[in-house]
Amino acid sequence: MRQEYMRRAIELAKRGLGRVNPNPLVGAVIVKDDHIIAEGYHARYGDLHAERSAFSKLKDPAEAIGAEMYVTLEPCCHQGKQPPCTQAIIEHGIRKVYVGSDDPNALVAGKGIRILREAGLEVETHVLKEECDALNPVFFHYITSKTPYVVMKYAMTMDGKIACDSGESKWVTGEMARAHVAKVRNALSGIMVGVQTVLQDDPKLTCRMPGGRNPVRIVCDSYLRTHLDCNLLQTIDEAPVWIATLSECMESEKATKLREKGAELIVVPQADGTNMEGIDLNALCKELGERGIDGLLIEGGSTLHAGALQAGIVDHVLVYMAPKIFGGSGRYTPVRGEGVQSPAQAWQFKRSRVTELGEDILIEYEKDKGERKICSPE
């Protein structure tokens, strides 16, 4: 039954997707006499944490005395926007706590479990740990590195094309695959493209999911070529637009006009010769992290993809493959640049999942640095 209750907590945690950033997704279930008596989840940044949300559902707080609690992440033990959950657990008389993931936040990192045990509670850790860890790769990365967890996404045909030779790319994949992309946009707080994508495709980069959250839209534009009448600026009221550019462009007439349109300009150092976008993507990621962007979706073209790989910022790759063949030249391929000179130099990832989305398939790869995987919206 332990796994059943923890799986319920995991399902509850997913309800906060796109609403709790930069906090983690967390679900909690209170069980007494083999029955769930209350459950909760972290629904929105600043709102009750999962444990306190569950306690708030009790008709009588005394019901929790002697009960067990299942929580997907180690309970917090510090004062933030909400008081420590360890305090609530102890005060409500919980007898035993089952924990899924360890919290790498330096303010918690084992202290929450220790406080509960010192108060006389029994604590069992790592219950469905892998499934609980899969909820929060973005949080785990961000809380320890202060830079966003970067997901690179592209859709391609069977022959590896992201567009026809004419440049037309609407649409490579079908409706189910595009709906999945909308869910990923909802889950991550930022989305980034190169200026060439803006010039050629004129995207809006909004979520397009009912009830979804639009990510902050970021354009890598070294010399401010973004058109003043592009869809991004036409929809500035729907989501912010940040344009990363070089310092030499900040006082230009174009910069003034972009600001008048509502865009925010971010100064980024020029990269060395390995970066295809002309700006230092590592420096940009550091700046984005300081601005609260915990997860970043790169939907740029092949030039930005190459730059991101060369900069070493890519943590996860989503490849949507359509059962189509475009043919033509090799111009519109997912990754351009000079490429590697030998197979041994390849950027190495580990396949984590293959999902059928109608007639298309989604193949997910993650950086080979551990067992944590992105929580794919379902």
Side-chain angles (χ1 to χ4, degrees), residues 20-42:
V20 302
N21 310 70
N23 282 352
L25 296 169
V26 186
V29 172
I30 304 173
V31 177
K32 192 171 187 179
D33 298 327
D34 293 326
H35 289 89
I36 295 177
I37 60 172
E39 55 187 29
Y41 64 98
H42 187 30

Side-chain angles (χ1 to χ4, degrees), residues 115-375:
I115 288 172
L116 293 176
R117 285 175 172 161
E118 289 176 350
L121 281 71
E122 186 178 354
V123 181
E124 183 171 337
T125 61
H126 298 171
V127 179
L128 294 184
K129 182 181 187 301
E130 184 174 351
E131 294 177 42
C132 290
D133 282 356
L135 288 168
N136 288 303
V138 173
F139 171 75
F140 292 148
H141 177 91
Y142 182 68
I143 201 68
T144 54
S145 70
K146 303 305 180 185
T147 60
Y149 181 89
V150 177
V151 180
M152 186 173 81
K153 164 264 173 184
Y154 55 86
M156 70 179 188
T157 61
M158 293 163 60
D159 56 336
K161 303 296 171 54
I162 60 174
C164 300
D165 273 1
S166 64
E168 180 63 40
S169 61
K170 294 182 180 178
W171 297 100
V172 174
T173 52
E175 291 185 6
M176 286 186 65
R178 298 199 298 273
H180 188 276
V181 172
K183 292 179 180 179
V184 176
R185 288 182 178 183
N186 174 67
L188 300 174
S189 55
I191 183 170
M192 186 164 74
V193 297
V195 66
Q196 194 59 42
T197 296
V198 176
L199 296 176
Q200 181 170 306
D201 297 340
D202 196 18
K204 293 182 179 178
L205 303 179
T206 48
C207 178
R208 300 198 306 270
M209 186 181 87
R213 174 200 58 175
N214 290 326
V216 174
R217 299 169 294 176
I218 302 147
V219 182
C220 293
D221 186 359
S222 304
Y223 300 107
L224 297 184
R225 294 190 292 145
T226 299
H227 291 318
L228 297 174
D229 60 351
C230 69
N231 279 326
L232 291 177
L233 297 177
Q234 295 295 327
T235 58
I236 196 75
D237 291 338
E238 296 183 36
V241 175
W242 297 350
I243 300 178
T245 191
L246 301 176
S247 60
E248 61 200 73
C249 300
M250 291 297 286
E251 302 305 322
S252 65
E253 182 180 352
K254 183 65 173 290
T256 299
K257 290 180 178 179
L258 287 168
R259 292 190 188 99
E260 289 173 351
K261 288 285 188 176
E264 182 173 351
L265 273 57
I266 302 175
V267 177
V268 184
Q270 188 162 16
D272 58 30
T274 65
N275 192 299
M276 302 296 295
E277 280 300 317
I279 60 177
D280 188 328
L281 293 179
N282 281 290
L284 176 56
C285 279
K286 182 178 179 181
E287 175 67 22
L288 294 178
E290 291 175 355
R291 290 167 175 255
I293 302 296
D294 60 341
L296 179 66
L297 177 63
I298 294 182
E299 279 201 36
S302 54
T303 299
L304 181 57
H305 291 168
L309 287 167
Q310 290 166 352
I313 63 173
V314 179
D315 297 292
H316 197 90
V317 182
L318 302 177
V319 181
Y320 298 84
M321 184 178 293
K324 303 173 183 177
I325 294 176
F326 284 174
S329 71
R331 179 181 179 189
Y332 290 104
T333 56
V335 179
R336 298 189 76 183
E338 295 181 2
V340 299
Q341 301 303 308
S342 73
Q345 297 174 322
W347 295 288
Q348 188 66 51
F349 291 83
K350 179 174 59 178
R351 191 183 74 241
S352 61
R353 189 182 322 206
V354 178
T355 307
E356 293 185 12
L357 295 169
E359 64 178 10
D360 307 312
I361 62 171
L362 164 64
I363 309 172
E364 299 184 50
Y365 299 88
E366 59 181 317
K367 185 179 288 186
D368 197 358
K369 61 178 182 180
E371 298 182 352
R372 291 173 181 156
K373 304 177 177 63
I374 189 172
C375 174

